[in-house]
Amino acid sequence: MHELGITKNIVAIVSENAGGAPVRKVIVEIGKLSAIMPDAISFCFDVCCKGTLLEGATLEIIEIPGLGKCCQCGTKISLEQPFGICDNCGSAEITIIQGEELKIKSMEVDDLCA
Ligand SMILES: [Zn+2]
């Protein structure tokens, strides 16, 4: 289950950037073509957060839809898999322009100065 490793990475990166403050919320963007299951990430998140600055933090996942562009005619095509055929000219030469991302969009940290 590679989502566990991915979740550990997310927790490690957020911890590093939190500057020692407790983390309240993490927002992650996951592309639909990335083959990562958001449910599995959510499931692993609580486990991975135990004993870290992220313990008790909320995880919000934003799913980014897949989008490709035809190399022949430039038509944009929405994709459910990381490949496809152009609706306009039938070409299978598709460049993926969106949907493969996995990134930490933002995080909310408790303000220690308050
Ligand atoms: Zn085309």
Side-chain angles (χ1 to χ4, degrees), residues 69-77 85-94:
K69 191 178 169 202
C70 177
C71 298
Q72 298 299 324
C73 70
T75 301
K76 285 184 182 169
I77 310 139
I85 288 178
C86 176
D87 293 335
N88 187 44
C89 72
S91 169
E93 270 186 78
I94 309 287

Side-chain angles (χ1 to χ4, degrees), residues 8-114:
K8 277 183 181 166
N9 272 338
I10 293 171
V11 171
I13 292 165
V14 171
S15 297
E16 237 170 67
N17 287 289
V23 178
R24 289 279 147 251
K25 189 177 181 182
V26 181
I27 302 174
V28 176
E29 284 184 343
I30 298 176
K32 283 210 164 161
L33 306 180
S34 64
I36 298 163
M37 304 299 292
D39 286 352
I41 299 286
S42 296
F43 179 78
C44 296
F45 187 75
D46 285 344
V47 179
C48 291
C49 287
K50 281 253 154 59
T52 73
L53 293 168
L54 285 78
E55 189 158 354
T58 311
L59 176 69
E60 190 179 319
I61 294 171
I62 300 169
E63 280 190 81
I64 308 293
L67 192 66
K69 191 178 169 202
C70 177
C71 298
Q72 298 299 324
C73 70
T75 301
K76 285 184 182 169
I77 310 139
S78 68
L79 298 171
E80 292 295 323
Q81 322 89 10
F83 52 85
I85 288 178
C86 176
D87 293 335
N88 187 44
C89 72
S91 169
E93 270 186 78
I94 309 287
T95 305
I96 293 166
I97 54 178
Q98 181 188 283
E100 289 184 306
E101 47 276 269
L102 168 69
K103 65 178 180 196
I104 298 164
K105 190 165 190 284
S106 66
M107 54 193 265
E108 281 171 28
V109 174
D110 255 9
D111 194 350
L112 290 179
C113 303

